[in-house]
């Protein structure tokens, strides 16, 4: 199988290729003077080969690159596409009259034999993809080993709400680290209490975990509250480090000790690689 990394996922693609005891295919990424993107596969003949394209669609141009790579592989025997982070997946229904269902609009452009995503925001949107098989991979299990390696003080993994408790549970499953979730309780008309549901956090290192951190606003408030309630250090862990605008500054200003994420979006915070997870899934097709 030939591993082709798009411009937004070159490091991850290289790591997946290494997991498969192979080397990534070399591609050329360029732009015409008017800004139009140009992509060419340089390394090796892909005709009648099984190929896997790995490209996150964090930006609009990333999506265009993915579509170009799929087209460039038209002579391949099998085309597999791995989208570590699928952009536009949050608008999965109409919230207001006249809105586009962006997730549907985007996924309808994708054609491949097999498509893999990682912790996609809404799994139901995968049915719009023109593929024989679509699979969403769960990366939260990978976070546990890294959290354990940090040598934290009586650590506790905490989800931001009950709907995300599965993330904390998955991260703790192989390490035995305790987990909980934050519960909001309205005290009065304008006063809300936020605290862990079951566990006492006094003097403990707390790891807040979520699938995605975008602007960081909600997490920043949670960090401040946990610190005020006696937590020692507070860490953030997420699968997708969107971290838009000034999110990192806001989070460190709120008192976060560190931000830990995977490399679905390749950023400085990407301390955990999803490459083993992707490689294992590719070995099964």
């Amino acid at each position: 199988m030939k591993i082709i990394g798009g411009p937004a996922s070159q490091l991850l693609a290289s790591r997946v290729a290494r997991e498969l005891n192979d080397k990534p295919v070399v591609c050329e990424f360029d732009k015409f003077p008017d800004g139009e993107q140009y992509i060419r596969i340089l390394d090796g003949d892909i005709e009648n080969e099984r190929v896997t394209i790995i490209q996150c669609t964090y930006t609009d141009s990333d999506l265009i690159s993915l579509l170009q790579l799929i087209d460039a592989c038209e002579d391949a025997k099998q085309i597999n596409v791995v989208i570590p982070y699928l952009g536009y997946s949050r608008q999965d229904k109409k919230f207001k009259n006249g809105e586009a269902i962006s997730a549907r609009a985007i996924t309808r452009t994708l054609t491949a034999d097999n498509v893999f995503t990682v912790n996609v925001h809404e799994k139901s949107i995968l049915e719009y993809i023109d593929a024989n098989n679509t699979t969403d991979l769960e990366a939260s299990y990978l976070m546990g080993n890294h959290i354990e390696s940090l040598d934290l003080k009586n650590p506790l993994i905490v989800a931001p709400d009950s709907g995300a408790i599965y993330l904390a549970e998955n991260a703790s499953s192989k390490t035995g680290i305790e987990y909980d979730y934050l519960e909001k309780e309205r005290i009065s008309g304008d006063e809300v209490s936020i605290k862990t549901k079951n566990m006492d956090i006094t003097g403990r290192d707390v790891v807040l975990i979520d699938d995605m951190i975008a602007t960081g606003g909600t997490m920043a408030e949670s960090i401040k509250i946990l610190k005020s309630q006696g937590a020692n250090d507070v860490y953030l862990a997420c699968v997708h480090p969107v971290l838009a605008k000034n999110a990192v500054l806001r989070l460190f200003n709120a008192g976060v000790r560190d931000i830990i994420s995977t490399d679905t979006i390749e950023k400085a915070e990407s301390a955990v690689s999803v490459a083993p997870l992707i490689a294992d899934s590719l070995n099964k097709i």
Side-chain angles (χ1 to χ4, degrees):
M1 181 181 296
K2 293 186 178 293
I3 303 299
I4 301 172
S9 298
Q10 296 182 58
L11 181 57
L12 176 57
S14 300
R15 288 169 172 166
V16 171
R18 184 170 58 192
E19 290 283 337
L20 297 172
N21 296 315
D22 206 342
K23 294 181 179 179
V25 172
V26 175
C27 298
E28 179 183 354
F29 308 120
D30 205 347
K31 285 188 177 182
F32 291 104
D34 61 356
E36 183 177 304
Q37 294 174 202
Y38 172 85
I39 282 180
R40 181 188 177 198
I41 299 172
L42 298 175
D43 187 14
D45 185 5
I46 61 170
E47 186 175 356
N48 295 322
E49 295 279 358
R50 297 170 65 221
V51 301
T52 294
I53 301 165
I54 302 177
Q55 166 75 345
C56 96
T57 56
Y58 181 61
T59 66
D60 296 351
S61 62
D62 292 337
L63 173 64
I64 298 300
S65 296
L66 175 60
L67 297 178
Q68 289 176 314
L69 283 170
I70 293 173
D71 188 75
C73 293
E74 64 174 341
D75 294 327
K77 178 181 179 181
Q78 180 188 71
I79 301 176
N80 307 305
V81 172
V82 179
I83 312 174
Y85 172 75
L86 178 60
Y88 287 93
S89 61
R90 302 173 87 174
Q91 182 82 17
D92 61 298
K93 58 186 175 182
K94 290 188 178 183
F95 298 95
K96 297 178 182 179
N97 187 41
E99 286 184 337
I101 302 177
S102 301
R104 180 178 64 188
I106 296 302
T107 51
R108 279 177 171 173
T109 67
L110 301 173
T111 301
D113 292 292
N114 299 287
V115 173
F116 298 87
T117 55
V118 180
N119 284 83
V120 72
H121 186 70
E122 177 53 59
K123 292 182 181 180
S124 64
I125 68 174
L126 300 182
E127 67 187 42
Y128 297 116
I129 298 175
D130 181 11
N132 296 330
N133 297 289
T134 58
T135 305
D136 186 54
L137 307 178
E138 180 56 58
S140 56
Y141 292 97
L142 301 174
M143 307 298 290
N145 289 337
H146 185 79
I147 292 170
E148 187 177 40
S149 72
L150 297 176
D151 193 26
L152 304 182
K153 181 179 179 181
N154 193 16
L156 176 66
I157 302 175
V158 177
D161 53 51
S162 59
I165 188 65
Y166 74 96
L167 294 166
E169 183 178 11
N170 290 345
S172 71
S173 62
K174 295 182 180 180
T175 64
I177 298 173
E178 291 184 314
Y179 65 93
D180 203 351
Y181 68 92
L182 295 180
E183 184 179 53
K184 295 182 181 180
E185 180 183 353
R186 184 164 295 281
I187 299 174
S188 63
D190 58 356
E191 187 177 1
V192 177
S193 169
I194 302 177
K195 59 182 181 180
T196 45
K197 173 67 175 177
N198 303 304
M199 303 290 182
D200 182 7
I201 63 171
T202 304
R204 304 182 71 171
D205 286 340
V206 175
V207 182
L208 272 171
I209 188 169
D210 208 350
D211 62 338
M212 177 194 308
I213 300 176
T215 62
T218 301
M219 284 296 194
E221 290 303 313
S222 298
I223 292 165
K224 293 177 183 177
I225 291 170
L226 290 170
K227 296 282 284 185
S228 70
Q229 292 176 350
N232 184 38
D233 284 329
V234 179
Y235 294 75
L236 286 186
C238 67
V239 176
H240 306 301
V242 175
L243 300 171
K245 298 181 179 179
N246 63 348
V248 172
L249 295 176
R250 295 176 69 181
L251 293 168
F252 275 91
N253 187 56
V256 73
R257 178 67 176 178
D258 203 1
I259 303 170
I260 306 157
S261 74
T262 76
D263 53 359
T264 58
I265 303 172
E266 295 178 3
K267 293 196 173 183
E269 297 80 12
S270 304
V272 179
S273 181
V274 295
L277 179 66
I278 294 171
D280 182 63
S281 299
L282 292 176
N283 274 327
K284 295 177 180 177
I285 59 175

